[in-house]
Amino acid sequence: MSKHVPVITIDGPSGTGKGTITQLLAQHLGWHLLDSGALYRVVAVGIEKNNILINEINKICEFAGAMEVAFGTEFEGSITLNGNEISHLARLEETAEKASKVAAIGELRAVLLQRQRDFCRPPGLVADGRDMGTVVFPSADLKIYLTASAEERAQRRYKQLINKGVGVNLRDLLQDIASRDERDANRQVSPLRPADDAVVIDTTSLTIDQVLEKVLIKVEDTVTPDQ
Ligand code: DC
């Protein structure tokens, strides 16, 4: 029998601090990290570069099945697609918008399923996404679902982008976030929702350190380390 590799899933909409919490937790535990949203972003960049349209589902799946993707060690680090550095493109708001559209294609989600599961290697995995606890790792040891009000999430994203020197308008950002939430939550396949056994944490009025503290308490209570 193969040895149990522990998995912690961190799901929720964007701007809830998921990425940061996932990174801090993976570092703290010394575990692997899966940023599943980055895979959908990579597909969005890849189809754009290859002039594949959003309704050309077979071509999208063929591309995603064959693409070679490598992530740097840091969450904010490099992303290469078929040998080309695309991290800047992958993090653009336009890419997030397109990623949300490709993510609604059930056939594509099926193509990416095993690729995501392959990230589960000893000593453990912290997986960040929308359907980590519901579909990709349904028997995860601990499932966290982070929420926050749309206004707070737009504010956070606004500050992030301004700090990066990207000019944005807060109202447009709020509208984009609300429409992506709507699409992610209402799609037919793997909609954004907490797993029945997820621990839901509202981060609206919490700092990252406060969220991490709450998550670590749950980790100590529930996760069996790989020995
Ligand atoms: O987390 P992110 O913003 O990088 O995700 C980009 C898009 O991909 C987002 O609109 C939702 C989608 N996504 C998804 O459908 N399932 C995942 N596991 C991760 C992301």
Side-chain angles (χ1 to χ4, degrees), residues 114-224:
Q114 192 55 44
R115 201 185 272 257
Q116 295 172 83
R117 289 184 176 156
D118 289 343
F119 278 76
C120 180
R121 281 176 282 124
L125 177 71
V126 187
D128 161 359
R130 305 293 190 288
D131 61 342
M132 297 296 99
T134 49
V135 176
V136 182
F137 300 106
S139 45
D141 300 69
L142 173 62
K143 300 177 185 179
I144 303 285
Y145 188 90
L146 301 182
T147 63
S149 70
E151 289 73 16
E152 175 63 24
R153 291 186 289 119
Q155 279 282 357
R156 289 175 187 171
R157 189 69 189 135
Y158 179 74
K159 281 190 202 144
Q160 253 179 11
L161 291 171
I162 294 291
N163 285 340
K164 280 189 199 160
V166 181
V168 276
N169 171 298
L170 182 59
R171 221 170 21 165
D172 291 348
L173 211 52
L174 179 57
Q175 236 168 36
D176 291 350
I177 282 184
S179 83
R180 282 209 297 273
D181 283 358
E182 162 94 13
R183 191 182 302 121
D184 293 343
N186 292 312
R187 66 182 173 219
Q188 297 273 312
V189 278
S190 307
L192 170 66
R193 66 164 180 84
D196 293 339
D197 50 350
V199 176
V200 179
I201 302 175
D202 185 344
T203 72
T204 307
S205 55
L206 299 178
T207 63
I208 283 291
D209 285 347
Q210 288 170 324
V211 179
L212 184 63
E213 199 179 322
K214 283 180 184 287
V215 172
L216 285 174
I217 291 171
K218 290 290 167 195
V219 172
E220 276 168 27
D221 282 354
T222 43
V223 178
T224 325

